[in-house]
Amino acid sequence: MSDTPRVALFVTCLADLFRPSVGFAAVKLLEEAGCTVEVPRAQTCCGQPAYNSGDKADARGVAEVAIRAFEGYDYVVAPSGSCAAMIRKHYPELFADDPVWGPKANELATRTFELVSFLTDVRGMEKVVASFDGSVTYHDSCSGLRELGIREQPRKLLASMDGLKLKEMAESDICCGFGGTFAVKYADISNKMVTKKTGHVEETEADLLVAGDLGCLMNMAGKLKREGKATKVRHVAELLAGMTDQPAIGEKGGGARKAKDPARS
């Protein structure tokens, strides 16, 4: 493998549709880590919604598209613990009995990483060049924490930022209530969970809430906004890349802002 690995960025559905700045932040961080970054046009969803709903046939169809789209790259990196976990942990399960697609799924799984984990664990990044004059609290998203072991990696990079003060919230590792389709199927339970979560966020008096999964962030940002709270919400990649000039998640203008595409294949 070259000293400059060729990385395919898996943008993810939520980043593509609701927060493109997360994708651009990921490109910036990956390039700072010495990678050549491409965004394959053939990529779609990872198949997680169908898989979690028990629709394995459709999940397999979507997964096959992803497997083909990411062939030939040294690594596949996603700014999402849940999407990366779907490929790393569940693609091999999805194709376990398939002699054709099973080996392909297993091979892709070995090359796929969540963004911050890739930066620290694979590329050895110990600090970022960005700074932030304020306090931050971090939410540990379920898939990243429990399926990929992501906890210290984001905190390590956040601690390297000049001016940033990290304020740990109580129960940072407890679910925010999003859980993909869970928030739709069990809305009342989800609301109680996110109410407790935003209460812990407010207790820290942090200026900014960050996490590694947009689903969690959109859920918590929506609740904070409905409660009239002042805490801003951003994806951790935006903060680490120093890309905090646009409105935060949930603020007017903080949605799907169009920009020139990064390098694509």
Side-chain angles (χ1 to χ4, degrees), residues 81-99:
S82 62
C83 296
M86 177 64 192
I87 297 175
R88 284 185 65 90
K89 300 296 184 179
H90 301 298
Y91 275 22
E93 299 171 359
L94 194 59
F95 295 101
D97 299 325
D98 191 316

mmCIF file of all heavy atoms in Angstrom, residues 81-99:
data_model
loop_
_atom_site.group_PDB
_atom_site.id
_atom_site.type_symbol
_atom_site.label_atom_id
_atom_site.label_comp_id
_atom_site.label_asym_id
_atom_site.label_seq_id
_atom_site.Cartn_x
_atom_site.Cartn_y
_atom_site.Cartn_z
ATOM 1 N N GLY A 81 -20.655 6.262 12.920
ATOM 2 C CA GLY A 81 -20.394 4.984 13.545
ATOM 3 C C GLY A 81 -21.401 3.925 13.141
ATOM 4 O O GLY A 81 -21.057 2.766 12.959
ATOM 5 N N SER A 82 -22.666 4.326 12.970
ATOM 6 C CA SER A 82 -23.692 3.340 12.637
ATOM 7 C C SER A 82 -23.516 2.796 11.229
ATOM 8 O O SER A 82 -23.665 1.585 11.000
ATOM 9 C CB SER A 82 -25.089 3.939 12.814
ATOM 10 O OG SER A 82 -25.298 5.030 11.938
ATOM 11 N N CYS A 83 -23.188 3.648 10.273
ATOM 12 C CA CYS A 83 -22.994 3.174 8.897
ATOM 13 C C CYS A 83 -21.723 2.334 8.783
ATOM 14 O O CYS A 83 -21.712 1.300 8.107
ATOM 15 C CB CYS A 83 -22.925 4.355 7.936
ATOM 16 S SG CYS A 83 -24.463 5.309 7.849
ATOM 17 N N ALA A 84 -20.657 2.777 9.442
ATOM 18 C CA ALA A 84 -19.421 1.994 9.421
ATOM 19 C C ALA A 84 -19.635 0.641 10.089
ATOM 20 O O ALA A 84 -19.137 -0.386 9.612
ATOM 21 C CB ALA A 84 -18.298 2.755 10.119
ATOM 22 N N ALA A 85 -20.393 0.623 11.167
ATOM 23 C CA ALA A 85 -20.664 -0.636 11.859
ATOM 24 C C ALA A 85 -21.525 -1.562 11.013
ATOM 25 O O ALA A 85 -21.370 -2.787 11.063
ATOM 26 C CB ALA A 85 -21.343 -0.364 13.199
ATOM 27 N N MET A 86 -22.428 -0.987 10.246
ATOM 28 C CA MET A 86 -23.254 -1.815 9.369
ATOM 29 C C MET A 86 -22.370 -2.592 8.401
ATOM 30 O O MET A 86 -22.560 -3.799 8.198
ATOM 31 C CB MET A 86 -24.235 -0.927 8.588
ATOM 32 C CG MET A 86 -25.111 -1.674 7.589
ATOM 33 S SD MET A 86 -26.227 -2.844 8.386
ATOM 34 C CE MET A 86 -26.811 -3.773 6.966
ATOM 35 N N ILE A 87 -21.390 -1.925 7.819
ATOM 36 C CA ILE A 87 -20.507 -2.582 6.856
ATOM 37 C C ILE A 87 -19.543 -3.531 7.555
ATOM 38 O O ILE A 87 -19.348 -4.673 7.133
ATOM 39 C CB ILE A 87 -19.736 -1.537 6.031
ATOM 40 C CG1 ILE A 87 -20.717 -0.686 5.206
ATOM 41 C CG2 ILE A 87 -18.721 -2.215 5.115
ATOM 42 C CD1 ILE A 87 -20.061 0.450 4.452
ATOM 43 N N ARG A 88 -18.927 -3.078 8.637
ATOM 44 C CA ARG A 88 -17.912 -3.888 9.319
ATOM 45 C C ARG A 88 -18.504 -5.100 10.026
ATOM 46 O O ARG A 88 -17.928 -6.195 9.994
ATOM 47 C CB ARG A 88 -17.144 -3.044 10.343
ATOM 48 C CG ARG A 88 -16.116 -2.113 9.751
ATOM 49 C CD ARG A 88 -15.330 -1.402 10.851
ATOM 50 N NE ARG A 88 -14.535 -2.320 11.635
ATOM 51 C CZ ARG A 88 -13.279 -2.670 11.349
ATOM 52 N NH1 ARG A 88 -12.693 -2.195 10.262
ATOM 53 N NH2 ARG A 88 -12.611 -3.482 12.143
ATOM 54 N N LYS A 89 -19.636 -4.916 10.692
ATOM 55 C CA LYS A 89 -20.183 -5.972 11.539
ATOM 56 C C LYS A 89 -21.311 -6.762 10.883
ATOM 57 O O LYS A 89 -21.420 -7.981 11.091
ATOM 58 C CB LYS A 89 -20.697 -5.357 12.852
ATOM 59 C CG LYS A 89 -19.631 -4.644 13.676
ATOM 60 C CD LYS A 89 -18.559 -5.620 14.156
ATOM 61 C CE LYS A 89 -17.551 -4.902 15.059
ATOM 62 N NZ LYS A 89 -16.517 -5.835 15.568
ATOM 63 N N HIS A 90 -22.149 -6.092 10.116
ATOM 64 C CA HIS A 90 -23.370 -6.749 9.654
ATOM 65 C C HIS A 90 -23.347 -7.214 8.198
ATOM 66 O O HIS A 90 -24.104 -8.117 7.841
ATOM 67 C CB HIS A 90 -24.564 -5.832 9.905
ATOM 68 C CG HIS A 90 -24.730 -5.470 11.353
ATOM 69 N ND1 HIS A 90 -24.971 -6.417 12.333
ATOM 70 C CD2 HIS A 90 -24.640 -4.278 11.998
ATOM 71 C CE1 HIS A 90 -25.040 -5.818 13.511
ATOM 72 N NE2 HIS A 90 -24.831 -4.526 13.335
ATOM 73 N N TYR A 91 -22.504 -6.615 7.356
ATOM 74 C CA TYR A 91 -22.372 -7.166 5.999
ATOM 75 C C TYR A 91 -21.906 -8.621 6.033
ATOM 76 O O TYR A 91 -22.466 -9.463 5.328
ATOM 77 C CB TYR A 91 -21.414 -6.322 5.165
ATOM 78 C CG TYR A 91 -22.041 -5.115 4.480
ATOM 79 C CD1 TYR A 91 -23.235 -4.558 4.948
ATOM 80 C CD2 TYR A 91 -21.437 -4.521 3.376
ATOM 81 C CE1 TYR A 91 -23.794 -3.449 4.330
ATOM 82 C CE2 TYR A 91 -22.000 -3.422 2.752
ATOM 83 C CZ TYR A 91 -23.174 -2.881 3.230
ATOM 84 O OH TYR A 91 -23.730 -1.790 2.606
ATOM 85 N N PRO A 92 -20.887 -8.961 6.820
ATOM 86 C CA PRO A 92 -20.471 -10.367 6.880
ATOM 87 C C PRO A 92 -21.599 -11.288 7.349
ATOM 88 O O PRO A 92 -21.721 -12.423 6.871
ATOM 89 C CB PRO A 92 -19.312 -10.356 7.880
ATOM 90 C CG PRO A 92 -18.727 -8.985 7.728
ATOM 91 C CD PRO A 92 -19.931 -8.089 7.555
ATOM 92 N N GLU A 93 -22.432 -10.812 8.268
ATOM 93 C CA GLU A 93 -23.567 -11.601 8.729
ATOM 94 C C GLU A 93 -24.616 -11.730 7.628
ATOM 95 O O GLU A 93 -25.206 -12.802 7.437
ATOM 96 C CB GLU A 93 -24.190 -10.948 9.965
ATOM 97 C CG GLU A 93 -23.265 -10.837 11.160
ATOM 98 C CD GLU A 93 -23.850 -9.982 12.272
ATOM 99 O OE1 GLU A 93 -24.987 -9.470 12.075
ATOM 100 O OE2 GLU A 93 -23.193 -9.815 13.310
ATOM 101 N N LEU A 94 -24.839 -10.643 6.913
ATOM 102 C CA LEU A 94 -25.864 -10.605 5.874
ATOM 103 C C LEU A 94 -25.562 -11.587 4.744
ATOM 104 O O LEU A 94 -26.476 -12.170 4.148
ATOM 105 C CB LEU A 94 -25.960 -9.175 5.334
ATOM 106 C CG LEU A 94 -27.155 -8.786 4.468
ATOM 107 C CD1 LEU A 94 -28.463 -8.980 5.219
ATOM 108 C CD2 LEU A 94 -27.016 -7.328 4.032
ATOM 109 N N PHE A 95 -24.274 -11.765 4.447
ATOM 110 C CA PHE A 95 -23.868 -12.639 3.345
ATOM 111 C C PHE A 95 -23.145 -13.900 3.828
ATOM 112 O O PHE A 95 -22.380 -14.512 3.091
ATOM 113 C CB PHE A 95 -22.945 -11.869 2.390
ATOM 114 C CG PHE A 95 -23.616 -10.733 1.681
ATOM 115 C CD1 PHE A 95 -23.436 -9.424 2.107
ATOM 116 C CD2 PHE A 95 -24.440 -10.957 0.588
ATOM 117 C CE1 PHE A 95 -24.047 -8.364 1.446
ATOM 118 C CE2 PHE A 95 -25.065 -9.915 -0.080
ATOM 119 C CZ PHE A 95 -24.868 -8.613 0.348
ATOM 120 N N ALA A 96 -23.386 -14.289 5.069
ATOM 121 C CA ALA A 96 -22.645 -15.401 5.671
ATOM 122 C C ALA A 96 -22.761 -16.697 4.882
ATOM 123 O O ALA A 96 -21.807 -17.490 4.834
ATOM 124 C CB ALA A 96 -23.124 -15.618 7.104
ATOM 125 N N ASP A 97 -23.910 -16.927 4.249
ATOM 126 C CA ASP A 97 -24.129 -18.190 3.533
ATOM 127 C C ASP A 97 -23.989 -18.046 2.020
ATOM 128 O O ASP A 97 -24.372 -18.949 1.276
ATOM 129 C CB ASP A 97 -25.525 -18.734 3.869
ATOM 130 C CG ASP A 97 -25.692 -19.029 5.354
ATOM 131 O OD1 ASP A 97 -24.713 -19.464 5.973
ATOM 132 O OD2 ASP A 97 -26.797 -18.802 5.877
ATOM 133 N N ASP A 98 -23.440 -16.918 1.586
ATOM 134 C CA ASP A 98 -23.328 -16.659 0.144
ATOM 135 C C ASP A 98 -21.876 -16.861 -0.293
ATOM 136 O O ASP A 98 -20.995 -16.085 0.093
ATOM 137 C CB ASP A 98 -23.784 -15.229 -0.160
ATOM 138 C CG ASP A 98 -23.948 -14.967 -1.649
ATOM 139 O OD1 ASP A 98 -23.076 -15.385 -2.431
ATOM 140 O OD2 ASP A 98 -24.949 -14.330 -2.026
ATOM 141 N N PRO A 99 -21.601 -17.877 -1.108
ATOM 142 C CA PRO A 99 -20.218 -18.146 -1.510
ATOM 143 C C PRO A 99 -19.626 -17.102 -2.432
ATOM 144 O O PRO A 99 -18.400 -17.006 -2.564
ATOM 145 C CB PRO A 99 -20.320 -19.504 -2.218
ATOM 146 C CG PRO A 99 -21.730 -19.554 -2.724
ATOM 147 C CD PRO A 99 -22.541 -18.859 -1.677
#
